[in-house]
Amino acid sequence: MKHDAIAVIDFGGQYAHLITTKVRRLRVLAEIRQPEDPIEKFREYKGIIISGSPALSSFGEESTYTKELYDLPLPIFGFCFGHQEIAKHYRGKVIHGGREWGHTELYITAASPIFKGLGPVEQVWMSHNDSVAEVGRGFKEIGYSKLGADGTVHRFAAIASENLRRYGVQFHPEVDDTLNGEKMIANFVLGICGCAPTWTMGNYIDEQVRRIRERVGNDSVFLLASGGVDSTVTAKLLGLALGPDRLHLLHVDNGLMRKDESRKVLESFRAMGLDKNLHFVDASEEFLAALAGVIDPERKRTIIGDTFIRVFEREARRLGIEDHLLGQGTIYPDTIETGGTKRADTIKTHHNRVPVIEEMIAQGRVIEPLSDLYKVEVRELGELLGLDRELVWKHPFPGPGLGVRLLCSDGSADRTDFERIVPEVKRVAAIYGLEGEVLPIRSVGVKADLRSYEHPVMLSGKASWETLFEAAGTIFREVAGINRCIWNLAGGRPRAFIPVAAGVTKDRLDLLREVDHLVMEGLRRHGVYYEIWQCPICLVPLAIDGKGRELVVIRPIYSERAMTAAPARLPQVLIKELRASLLKLPGVSGLSLDLTSKPPGTIEWE
Ligand code: XMP
């Protein structure tokens, strides 16, 4: 089936995925396109949405893109930067100024199909420094905005040319704070573009089964099955299309898995009837040997990736299945983020897109039946395919596993810039009645789409969640060089943090596995497991006040696609229980909860 589809032009940041997801919720396929894609790529769509951008339209930043798209006879809808670009292209004027930020009222001044079914005043969400000051011939203002009851009028907050079917809004319809944003998107996608809502997971199963059969022919597929949601749904779909005989599954225990994980994964494949050719290799020792003595986070990541490829190639040869197609559970954002485009996040390369795999893709030897889907769609598909709820809603777990959650150190303290940072942190923490200590180590974060490697801060003291999150936010804003804040759950005020030499060892991993297991059990027991997107647990090799060797960090987050995240709250009873169970584990020096949003932190610590 050929689906009606919308192209979402990605001018940067987080906007494009959010817009795409919102369109797909209407059961219409939306795909991300880059601004400089050739014009042919745009022709097949029923409409185009131009996203927002951190760039400034008034200064002509990002102004070299495929402008012929404006000549296509397709409806176009621009949000924020996209709105300004539309105005500019049709001889309007964009100025630097008229900044608005936050909740704003939109006063609709003319009837337009884009605002069908809306009231005369709508709450919308703004975040811009440039403004449309004039529109060209054929365009008209269909709404202005006002920030606050006594705010000044901001003209051209919404513009349209009904003839050309061009629409622009200064605000962001894709965010939930624009209360009727989804209605506006629906008006465009279903009404103006006339897309048929055929993008359903039921249809997807039928189409993929057909496509897999065509693609694989009489061959077989060899799938690396980690046991995560994506690879399990892939296995189930391949099994449905090809039958269990032509599907080989390989599960590798890299020694960086959770407690009992490999056993559970194998059991669940057996329960699904996919064990006809189920292979298992315990490569823990090989991974641990390769990681021995390695401290640097990126090197650890590379070693884990390379070792994995080595093990998988060797096993494939040993099993005589190296000629089979390679199946992968790659999902849509993975294919975009390592896309190598100008705006792609370069924080890290996804393991499904390392050079060996890229080469196999180029040779047509890789099959990725979920590569059009977002995580939420994969989960819907999993449910339709009859997978257990427990499995479908399992928290995402990174490819390099606990390897990126076990921080390593050569034992030396990193106090770069402490003379400046420490007093600033203490001053801000005191405003909130808290104590603030800067840790003499670093963790990974992301600022303005770039990787950062900076000091975490530990806050101690009693405070409400609101105060803690606000204190963390103020520290990130006011103190350069800090990308993470954690809250001390152990009580008291720690005075000395002594880095301890520590690498990736089985003992440390076993401790991390135990802590992780206790926390996950706690989340389930208190009924909060499913509302939390993910909850990494980290061990940081720090002796606190001369005690123990490992600071435990619990990092529960709320998120939708893992591209941004907010720190989650845990029930106080659970915190109390964890304090009692974790602090008595041998080697544990302290216990803390991560208060960091993404950005400026990443979800994982490395
Ligand atoms: P970050 O730490 O970048 O994580 O905020 C975003 C999401 O990606 C997961 N993650 C990975 N997944 N291989 C993976 O398969 C990796 O190397 C990797 N690094 C991070 C992380 O758990 C979160 O869901």
Side-chain angles (χ1 to χ4, degrees), residues 301 348 350-351 396 398-400 405 533-534 562 598 602-604:
R301 220 173 245 286
K348 51 197 137 201
H350 198 274
H351 64 277
R405 298 180 175 176
W533 168 268
Q534 213 178 343
K598 172 183 177 179
T602 40
I603 294 173
E604 306 291 348

Side-chain angles (χ1 to χ4, degrees), residues 106-386:
L106 171 76
Y107 293 77
I108 295 176
T109 52
S112 167
I114 204 86
F115 292 149
K116 194 173 146 210
L118 304 185
V121 185
E122 288 288 336
Q123 181 194 302
V124 300
W125 195 82
M126 296 277 192
S127 168
H128 65 105
N129 292 309
D130 281 354
S131 302
V132 174
E134 276 171 32
V135 288
R137 272 206 5 229
F139 275 78
K140 64 177 183 205
E141 177 187 82
I142 56 171
Y144 64 84
S145 61
K146 253 191 335 182
L147 192 64
D150 51 354
T152 48
V153 167
H154 186 286
R155 301 238 69 102
F156 303 110
I159 61 171
S161 163
E162 304 292 353
N163 268 346
L164 294 170
R165 296 191 296 171
R166 302 285 179 265
Y167 303 87
V169 292
Q170 182 54 77
F171 51 89
H172 287 270
E174 74 274 29
V175 304
D176 292 336
D177 302 70
T178 295
L179 295 182
N180 277 317
E182 286 182 24
K183 226 178 217 168
M184 299 174 199
I185 295 174
N187 284 340
F188 180 71
V189 171
L190 303 172
I192 295 165
C193 302
C195 293
T198 56
W199 182 250
T200 63
M201 288 306 107
N203 282 340
Y204 195 84
I205 295 178
D206 298 341
E207 286 159 31
Q208 280 302 324
V209 165
R210 238 188 346 263
R211 249 201 246 174
I212 293 168
R213 285 180 185 153
E214 274 170 27
R215 182 68 211 290
V216 179
N218 294 324
D219 271 347
S220 296
V221 176
F222 167 39
L223 175 74
L224 295 165
S226 67
V229 187
D230 304 341
S231 64
T232 309
V233 172
T234 306
K236 187 82 186 171
L237 200 51
L238 288 168
L240 190 66
L242 305 172
D245 288 324
R246 291 203 286 145
L247 176 63
H248 289 256
L249 300 178
L250 173 65
H251 177 71
V252 178
D253 182 352
N254 57 9
L256 307 165
M257 310 285 284
R258 296 184 138 143
K259 186 171 172 179
D260 280 341
E261 185 72 4
S262 286
R263 184 182 55 75
K264 288 187 207 152
V265 170
L266 296 174
E267 257 168 31
S268 83
F269 282 120
R270 279 185 203 114
M272 282 186 274
L274 294 174
D275 55 340
K276 191 80 197 279
N277 303 299
L278 177 60
H279 313 288
F280 169 65
V281 51
D282 180 355
S284 324
E285 283 183 16
E286 188 168 347
F287 277 84
L288 292 196
L291 287 166
V294 182
I295 307 288
D296 178 70
E298 279 306 298
R299 263 202 74 212
K300 277 163 62 184
R301 220 173 245 286
T302 312
I303 290 174
I304 297 169
D306 292 350
T307 311
F308 195 84
I309 297 285
R310 200 170 60 232
V311 170
F312 128 70
E313 288 184 324
R314 190 178 61 220
E315 286 304 304
R317 266 195 311 276
R318 191 177 67 79
L319 296 164
I321 53 178
E322 72 266 44
D323 293 337
H324 292 356
L325 288 173
L326 175 69
Q328 292 207 109
T330 313
I331 66 171
Y332 191 54
D334 306 339
T335 67
I336 303 283
E337 273 142 45
T338 327
T341 67
K342 198 152 94 169
R343 295 158 200 83
D345 189 332
T346 47
I347 316 294
K348 51 197 137 201
T349 303
H350 198 274
H351 64 277
N352 290 356
R353 285 291 177 272
V354 294
V356 187
I357 303 282
E358 291 280 18
E359 205 181 303
M360 292 181 73
I361 293 175
Q363 295 165 351
R365 292 176 53 211
V366 177
I367 180 163
E368 300 181 315
L370 307 184
S371 63
D372 292 329
L373 305 184
Y374 283 101
K375 190 72 135 201
V376 36
E377 293 171 318
V378 173
R379 286 180 160 150
E380 194 184 330
L381 191 68
E383 284 187 337
L384 278 179
L385 289 168

